[in-house]
Amino acid sequence: DWTYPLTNGQLKKYLEDAKSHSFNLYDSAQNEVIGHAEILLASVGTCKIDKLLIDPAHRGKGICQSAINCLLHYAFDNLAVHTVELNVFDWNAAGIRCYEKAGFSFNKVQKTFSVGKETWTALNMSVTRDEFQLSHSK
């Protein structure tokens, strides 16, 4: 859906998609947007966290954990889904730790991508409403 250079039309189409719920990650202390997140409705009872992007200058500060918890609350409470999925590259150890802490576990689904001369592997993870609640009751 994206081509370079990015156009207003591409952004408008993205924001008007009824299956897409987009969020800015906002640092109120600095009065600035520091990231972006998106939840996509998938099949009945399931959605996918399709994007969770944090400005590199703000990484390592616990923002991912806070953002993922907010996204999961939104998905389970507002979208009334039972399961939330996401894909994470196998080299993203910090992201994997964050998702596991929120209750996500690995599925068998994997996808590989060629990026330049490298091969990247995306791992699929999911969490159910019950798993999320259990991980937050500890």
Side-chain angles (χ1 to χ4, degrees):
D1 291 336
W2 305 100
T3 59
Y4 182 81
L6 189 62
T7 65
N8 285 337
Q10 290 175 46
L11 289 171
K12 185 177 180 188
K13 180 181 174 189
Y14 170 71
L15 293 172
E16 290 176 347
D17 184 349
K19 293 182 179 183
S20 173
H21 297 258
S22 297
F23 306 90
N24 283 329
L25 304 181
Y26 184 75
D27 182 342
S28 57
Q30 299 297 320
N31 194 32
E32 67 179 329
V33 174
I34 59 168
H36 175 75
E38 178 186 22
I39 297 174
L40 284 176
L41 293 173
S43 58
V44 175
T46 303
C47 68
K48 178 180 179 182
I49 296 176
D50 192 55
K51 292 172 186 65
L52 179 52
L53 308 168
I54 299 172
D55 182 326
H58 295 276
R59 293 182 187 158
K61 300 177 182 178
I63 293 167
C64 179
Q65 197 67 60
S66 179
I68 201 75
N69 288 334
C70 287
L71 291 168
L72 289 171
H73 278 291
Y74 182 87
F76 293 130
D77 298 342
N78 295 81
L79 302 178
V81 298
H82 178 265
T83 304
V84 177
E85 293 185 0
L86 57 77
N87 291 319
V88 59
F89 288 114
D90 61 352
W91 48 259
N92 186 353
I96 291 169
R97 281 191 307 275
C98 173
Y99 305 142
E100 288 178 324
K101 191 172 180 181
F104 281 87
S105 58
F106 289 103
N107 298 314
K108 293 182 180 182
V109 178
Q110 293 185 6
K111 295 179 184 178
T112 57
F113 301 88
S114 293
V115 180
K117 294 181 180 182
E118 298 179 10
T119 300
W120 290 8
T121 301
L123 308 172
N124 184 264
M125 300 179 82
S126 64
V127 62
T128 65
R129 176 190 309 270
D130 293 341
E131 292 165 339
F132 177 63
Q133 290 172 343
L134 181 63
S135 73
H136 284 74
S137 66
K138 295 178 183 176

